[in-house]
């Protein structure tokens, strides 16, 4: 499976089945990156799913067509964590996205959410699926990030980097099962398209 970002697949490599990808993002860049991956999966004939806040449902329906978009208080609740892992176990689709960590971390302790994350990762690996999980790195502490990074197979980091007198968006593979961490590369956004620029030293 591949991302929809020119040149990025060269540095991350082919993502195999049974993998969990943690995207440490700023703003909506992580969601845009994940959507490109899901769109590629749909083009390859896979059914995809997403567990997202209610505000994203219509947007994802427009972007992903017939994807299975699940929102809180219908299929699961943010207050009862077992309902989330239950939904994951029942899921027929194998390629998916979770973008509900922020509200979960507000309601519950980091340790409880990490435990849930471990359960979800086990489900994904047992089913030989692929899951992308987005977390806003500006909202959580480095300790909490490290907990999630330890369980994920891949960690992709998106950052704003001061380069002389300008700020550039950078992206890197922070963790990979096959390769060493990479340097940051400039993340160039042109409308709906994202691509990699030069390495940021």
């Amino acid at each position: 499976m591949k991302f929809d970002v020119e040149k990025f697949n060269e540095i991350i490599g082919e993502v195999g089945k049974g993998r969990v990808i943690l995207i440490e993002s700023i703003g909506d860049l992580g969601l845009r990156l994940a959507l490109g991956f899901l769109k590629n999966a749909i083009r390859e004939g896979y059914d995809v799913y997403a567990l997202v806040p209610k505000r994203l449902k219509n947007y994802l329906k427009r972007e992903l067509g017939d994807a299975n978009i699940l929102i809180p208080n219908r299929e699961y609740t943010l207050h009862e964590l077992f309902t989330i892992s239950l939904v994951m176990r029942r899921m027929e689709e194998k390629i998916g996205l979770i973008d509900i960590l922020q509200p979960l971390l507000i309601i519950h302790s980091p340790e409880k959410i990490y435990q849930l994350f471990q359960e979800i990762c086990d489900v994904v690996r047992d089913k030989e699926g692929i899951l992308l999980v987005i977390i806003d790195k500006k909202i959580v502490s480095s300790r909490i990030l490290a907990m999630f990074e330890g369980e994920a197979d891949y960690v992709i980091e998106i950052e704003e980097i001061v380069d002389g007198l300008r700020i550039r968006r950078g992206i890197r593979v922070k963790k990979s099962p096959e390769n060493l961490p990479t340097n940051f590369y400039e993340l160039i956004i042109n409308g709906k398209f994202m691509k990699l620029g030069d390495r940021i030293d």
Side-chain angles (χ1 to χ4, degrees), residues 18-19 63 98 116 169:
R19 299 296 192 185
E63 293 292 316
I98 289 182
L116 172 68
R169 292 185 183 102

Side-chain angles (χ1 to χ4, degrees), residues 31-47:
L31 180 61
R32 291 179 68 173
L33 183 68
L35 280 179
F37 189 93
L38 294 182
K39 286 177 182 178
N40 270 347
I42 290 169
R43 287 186 204 106
E44 291 185 26
Y46 291 95
D47 293 324

Side-chain angles (χ1 to χ4, degrees), residues 31-173:
L31 180 61
R32 291 179 68 173
L33 183 68
L35 280 179
F37 189 93
L38 294 182
K39 286 177 182 178
N40 270 347
I42 290 169
R43 287 186 204 106
E44 291 185 26
Y46 291 95
D47 293 324
V48 304
Y49 67 91
L51 277 68
V52 295
K54 188 175 181 180
R55 63 182 171 79
L56 289 178
K57 183 173 184 177
N58 290 337
Y59 170 66
L60 263 62
K61 282 288 186 189
R62 287 195 303 271
E63 293 292 316
L64 300 175
D66 294 330
N68 187 8
I69 311 298
L70 302 154
I71 60 171
N73 300 324
R74 291 211 179 158
E75 291 80 9
Y76 60 94
T77 168
L78 298 179
H79 293 277
E80 296 173 305
L81 296 178
F82 75 92
T83 61
I84 298 171
S85 52
L86 194 62
V87 163
M88 294 294 296
R89 285 190 181 91
R90 291 177 177 168
M91 198 76 64
E92 291 183 10
E93 300 87 355
K94 292 192 175 183
I95 314 289
L97 162 70
I98 289 182
D99 192 11
I100 54 170
L101 283 190
Q102 299 322 128
L104 287 174
L105 284 164
I106 291 168
I107 298 168
H108 303 280
S109 70
E111 289 73 22
K112 282 188 177 178
I113 304 308
Y114 174 65
Q115 207 170 26
L116 172 68
F117 185 62
Q118 285 180 309
E119 288 177 30
I120 288 170
C121 290
D122 288 343
V123 170
V124 170
R125 290 171 185 137
D126 287 345
K127 290 186 173 184
E128 295 191 327
I130 297 174
L131 177 66
L132 299 102
V133 181
I134 299 171
I135 191 164
D136 189 331
K137 57 186 281 181
K138 289 193 172 180
I139 294 175
V140 299
S141 70
S142 56
R143 181 183 72 87
I144 295 170
L145 275 181
M147 288 165 59
F148 288 105
E149 287 173 0
E151 186 64 31
D153 299 294
Y154 291 88
V155 178
I156 297 170
E157 183 179 13
I158 300 172
E159 182 63 276
E160 288 183 338
I161 297 166
V162 178
D163 184 17
L165 297 175
R166 67 182 180 135
I167 296 176
R168 300 162 81 183
R169 292 185 183 102
I171 186 169
R172 71 169 175 151
V173 180

